[in-house]
């Protein structure tokens, strides 16, 4: 029994030594300003941070974990009389996402790799207007997302995931916190383009 355990440990250590461990992610910042003919300017500030770790067993297969954090603020105004403004006319949305995935490299040519990620995501998002809750959104999904990797050198690479052609299942539950009883809206989507809100995501990775 001890020999079996020792052999398994050696095999695991050998696999670990041959594997590639990468850390990276992406950061997105956006600002939009609209000047209407009347009234005040409409401003929107958005920030997205997505750290990512990836562990490739060999040249073809690996696993990883993506985390997502987002923040959005705009002053588009809100007309629901239930809301008490309290001197703050800004929408503020904060959210998080956890997405483990399995990666399979489809083909390689020169410094490019084409791959597909089987990704399972769980997330939550909450919107406030001033100091008042507006809604909260829970999301759950499983998607196959294609991507491309460009290897700058042995350690640095750039990845781009093509979310616009993602194929899979997504479920979203929205709770309206401005109405009595907090009514719930549920949405289920199965098919292509279920992740089209961010059609292209580009990240930088460093391989140890």
């Amino acid at each position: 029994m001890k020999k079996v355990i020792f052999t398994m440990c050696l095999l695991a250590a050998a696999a670990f030594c041959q594997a590639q461990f990468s850390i990276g992610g992406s950061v997105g910042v956006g600002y939009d300003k609209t000047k209407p003919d009347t009234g005040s300017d409409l401003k929107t500030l958005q920030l997205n941070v997505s750290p990512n770790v990836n562990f490739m067993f060999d040249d073809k297969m690996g696993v990883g974990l993506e985390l997502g954090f987002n923040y959005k603020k705009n002053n588009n105004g809100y007309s629901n009389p239930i809301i008490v403004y309290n001197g703050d006319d800004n929408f503020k949305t904060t959210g998080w996402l956890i997405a483990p995935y399995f990666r399979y490299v489809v083909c390689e040519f020169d410094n490019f790799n084409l791959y597909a990620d089987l990704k399972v995501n769980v997330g939550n998002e909450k919107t406030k207007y001033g100091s008042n809750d507006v809604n909260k959104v829970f999301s759950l999904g499983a998607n196959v997302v294609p991507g491309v990797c460009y290897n700058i050198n042995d350690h640095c690479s750039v990845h781009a995931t093509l979310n616009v052609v993602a194929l899979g299942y997504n479920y979203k539950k929205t709770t309206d916190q401005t109405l009595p009883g907090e009514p719930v809206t549920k949405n289920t989507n199965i098919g292509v383009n279920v992740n089209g809100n961010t059609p292209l995501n580009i990240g930088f990775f460093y391989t140890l």
Side-chain angles (χ1 to χ4, degrees):
M1 184 65 181
K2 292 182 179 179
K3 291 183 178 180
V4 174
I5 295 176
F6 181 71
T7 303
M8 293 178 64
C9 291
L10 287 178
L11 291 175
F16 181 82
C17 291
Q18 294 178 358
Q20 289 186 330
F21 181 73
S22 301
I23 56 175
S26 61
V27 177
V29 179
Y31 178 77
D32 180 76
K33 183 177 180 179
T34 302
K35 285 182 171 292
D37 291 337
T38 59
S40 58
D41 296 343
L42 307 179
K43 304 174 184 178
T44 300
L45 173 66
Q46 187 164 354
L47 172 65
N48 298 282
V49 180
S50 298
N52 194 313
V53 294
N54 179 264
F55 188 82
M56 296 296 295
F57 303 120
D58 52 35
D59 293 337
K60 288 291 185 180
M61 295 184 293
V63 294
L65 177 65
E66 178 183 353
L67 303 177
F69 305 94
N70 68 80
Y71 171 81
K72 184 177 181 180
K73 176 181 177 181
N74 63 56
N75 65 340
N76 291 342
Y78 198 68
S79 59
N80 194 322
I82 298 177
I83 297 294
V84 180
Y85 295 158
N86 292 331
D88 189 347
D89 61 349
N90 292 315
F91 276 113
K92 295 178 182 178
T93 301
T94 56
W96 56 265
L97 177 75
I98 300 176
Y101 61 88
F102 170 78
R103 174 167 296 176
Y104 181 77
V105 178
V106 179
C107 62
E108 303 177 52
F109 53 95
D110 293 333
N111 293 327
F112 287 91
N113 296 337
L114 296 179
Y115 61 85
D117 288 344
L118 173 57
K119 185 178 297 185
V120 178
N121 59 276
V122 179
N124 190 72
E125 195 173 76
K126 188 172 185 178
T127 301
K128 297 175 72 72
Y129 185 75
S131 60
N132 301 275
D133 295 335
V134 176
N135 62 45
K136 56 183 178 181
V137 179
F138 169 78
S139 60
L140 175 67
N143 297 278
V144 176
V145 183
V148 59
C149 166
Y150 176 73
N151 298 304
I152 302 173
N153 53 44
D154 291 339
H155 294 285
C156 299
S157 60
V158 178
H159 293 241
T161 54
L162 310 177
N163 296 315
V164 70
V165 290
L167 172 65
Y169 163 85
N170 282 268
Y171 168 81
K172 183 180 290 186
K173 175 183 175 182
T174 304
T175 303
D176 190 337
Q177 297 177 284
T178 66
L179 299 176
E182 298 189 353
V184 173
T185 301
K186 298 179 181 180
N187 177 264
T188 301
N189 192 318
I190 301 176
V192 181
N193 197 26
V194 294
N195 211 12
N197 56 327
T198 53
L200 179 65
N201 185 39
I202 299 177
F204 177 83
F205 282 77
Y206 181 81
T207 301
L208 303 178

